[in-house]
């Protein structure tokens, strides 16, 4: 079973997978600090091949550009069962 905060992050990413989401979006959507979200994504999911970060550049409202990392589920992440006993 996933830890409660890990499950929150997983469920949010799974529910919003069609969108380009960042750790900040996940933090805002779950109420967790961005730092916690980054740690959870890295240790609970990215190292196990369930999520990946893709670097991109986005244009801000003022016309400037900023590098961000979008977080998405991998194929294994899509198939992952967060209720399984051997999760995390």
């Amino acid at each position: 079973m996933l830890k409660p905060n890990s499950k929150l992050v997983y469920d949010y990413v799974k529910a919003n997978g069609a969108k380009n989401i960042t750790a900040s979006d996940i933090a805002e959507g779950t109420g967790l600090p961005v730092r916690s979200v980054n740690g959870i994504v890295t240790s609970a999911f990215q190292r196990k091949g369930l999520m990946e970060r893709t670097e991109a550049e986005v244009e801000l409202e003022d016309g400037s550009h900023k590098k961000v990392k979008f977080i998405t589920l991998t194929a294994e992440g899509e198939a992952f069962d967060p209720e399984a006993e051997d999760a995390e």
Side-chain angles (χ1 to χ4, degrees):
M1 295 280 269
L2 287 176
K3 293 177 185 169
N5 286 349
S6 297
K7 184 162 177 5
L8 257 179
V9 170
Y10 178 82
D11 289 344
Y12 186 88
V13 174
K14 181 118 178 160
N16 293 280
K19 302 175 190 160
N20 288 329
I21 56 172
T22 63
S24 295
D25 297 327
I26 298 168
E28 193 175 306
T30 61
L32 296 170
V34 174
R35 196 170 172 167
S36 296
V37 169
N38 276 318
I40 289 167
V41 168
T42 300
S43 64
F45 301 112
Q46 197 172 1
R47 287 187 186 144
K48 296 175 182 170
L50 302 175
M51 288 184 189
E52 61 189 4
R53 287 183 170 95
T54 308
E55 198 167 293
E57 196 170 285
V58 295
E59 187 172 334
L60 304 176
E61 287 179 18
D62 65 4
S64 64
H65 291 83
K66 176 182 175 184
K67 286 193 178 186
V68 295
K69 290 187 179 174
F70 293 125
I71 298 170
T72 55
L73 290 173
T74 62
E76 292 86 2
E78 285 287 345
F80 177 70
D81 178 6
E83 302 299 324
E85 285 303 313
D86 61 349
E88 202 172 327

